[in-house]
Amino acid sequence: GLTYFFPFAHYHLGEALFHLGDYERSAEAFEVCLKMAPGINKARQMLTTIYSEHLKKPEMALDHKTAIKDYIKGDIVVVSGLPRSGTSMMMQMLDKGGLDIFTDGVRTPDENNPKGYYEHELVKSLARNKTWMKDAKGQAVKVISHLLFELPANYRYRIIFMERDLDEVLKSQHHMLVRDGKAKEDAMNLRVVNAFKQNLERVKEWAPRQQNMEILFVSHRNLINNPKEELKKVNAFLGGTLDIDAMAAVVDKSLHREKAEK
């Protein structure tokens, strides 16, 4: 009431009303948000869902869905997945394949990732700072799976999501913590299992519904055992201009140290 022009207040009001099931008032809040700041595509995405799934107004849903593309600022490739799922390997592959990589080199190679992490420190601040995203346009950036939901809706994303056997992920992460002196060898933390499972389920339900996203799930096991076949899918997904042979040469089976029981 004291600050009239505050579009994100209306956006968060819309979110709260949506989760309370008050879809009419939620839509009103999102519409006010867009009148104040037409570039907030996340409000359009919410309105598309509300009008199509709850208020049964397909014409209005289509109007907002169509308008999303008018406020897209560029394209970004995102490599994502759970920790220790092969995201660094995929980033290295894209680098060798000829794609520009958004990385700062702050986190240097070590025993856990001898070929490097290909990360950028700014990604860690994604929940509170999205201004740097403009610098990642036309490049590939590594974003851990739980931060995917923070990606601003003003860009078009092609997401390569690494899938690895959950037992391997947990073992690999645990042994990394042991090597870093942050955990004991015989004290694996299994409390994260449910969190990881829930995160994967949420990504698979959420990402395909976003009008500005395409997602390709890539098998870590297939990438190790039959890289060229798996990379053909990645190449097609990204437009068909990558050097598959150079990408496949990245695979080093000696680094696949944690293997699930067959």
Side-chain angles (χ1 to χ4, degrees), residues 2-237:
L2 294 174
T3 307
Y4 173 75
F5 190 85
F6 196 173
F8 278 105
H10 293 279
Y11 177 86
H12 292 305
L13 174 61
E15 278 189 316
L17 292 168
F18 177 85
H19 290 294
L20 288 171
D22 191 343
Y23 301 115
E24 289 280 1
R25 292 176 63 207
S26 175
E28 290 174 3
F30 286 125
E31 293 284 11
V32 171
C33 171
L34 286 174
K35 286 179 181 178
M36 292 182 174
I40 302 179
N41 263 349
K42 280 195 172 184
R44 284 192 181 82
Q45 290 180 330
M46 291 297 295
L47 283 167
T48 300
T49 299
I50 292 170
Y51 287 137
S52 62
E53 298 179 13
H54 301 287
L55 299 183
K56 308 304 179 186
K57 296 180 179 179
E59 297 84 2
M60 297 183 73
L62 182 60
D63 287 345
H64 283 290
K65 184 176 181 179
T66 303
I68 286 174
K69 67 179 184 297
D70 296 330
Y71 294 90
I72 294 294
K73 298 177 180 178
D75 295 85
I76 299 173
V77 173
V78 173
V79 173
S80 189
L82 292 174
R84 311 301 293 171
S85 63
T87 52
S88 298
M89 177 174 64
M90 177 54 67
M91 287 290 286
Q92 186 185 4
M93 287 178 166
L94 295 178
D95 185 25
K96 298 298 183 183
L99 193 64
D100 290 334
I101 302 298
F102 186 71
T103 180
D104 57 11
V106 170
R107 193 175 184 186
T108 55
D110 56 25
E111 186 181 357
N112 300 310
N113 263 9
K115 296 188 177 183
Y117 287 87
Y118 289 82
E119 296 178 351
H120 201 297
E121 286 292 300
L122 286 171
V123 176
K124 297 176 183 178
S125 68
L126 187 57
R128 61 185 184 277
N129 173 27
K130 308 180 194 301
T131 58
W132 58 267
M133 293 292 295
K134 65 182 184 298
D135 298 322
K137 287 193 297 184
Q139 301 178 68
V141 58
K142 188 166 107 174
V143 179
I144 202 70
S145 59
H146 72 269
L147 284 177
L148 284 179
F149 312 102
E150 301 293 342
L151 290 172
N154 299 92
Y155 297 90
R156 186 179 294 106
Y157 304 99
R158 282 176 290 179
I159 302 171
I160 299 172
F161 195 93
M162 297 299 300
E163 290 194 292
R164 186 178 183 183
D165 183 277
L166 193 55
D167 286 340
E168 290 189 6
V169 167
L170 292 168
K171 289 177 182 177
S172 181
Q173 185 180 41
H174 175 67
H175 290 150
M176 179 182 72
L177 293 174
V178 171
R179 284 190 288 268
D180 291 344
K182 298 178 180 179
K184 296 181 179 179
E185 182 66 44
D186 57 351
M188 184 181 292
N189 183 3
L190 298 179
R191 291 180 296 177
V192 299
V193 175
N194 286 337
F196 280 179
K197 286 181 177 179
Q198 290 172 4
N199 180 249
L200 290 174
E201 290 170 1
R202 187 182 175 197
V203 168
K204 291 182 178 181
E205 189 276 333
W206 171 83
R209 299 176 62 187
Q210 307 308 304
Q211 289 82 25
N212 63 323
M213 293 182 181
E214 296 177 68
I215 188 165
L216 175 70
F217 293 95
V218 174
S219 165
H220 177 270
R221 180 172 295 170
N222 292 346
L223 197 59
I224 295 292
N225 296 329
N226 197 359
K228 288 190 178 180
E229 286 303 309
E230 200 72 6
L231 288 169
K232 285 179 182 177
K233 303 174 189 175
V234 174
N235 190 35
F237 182 64

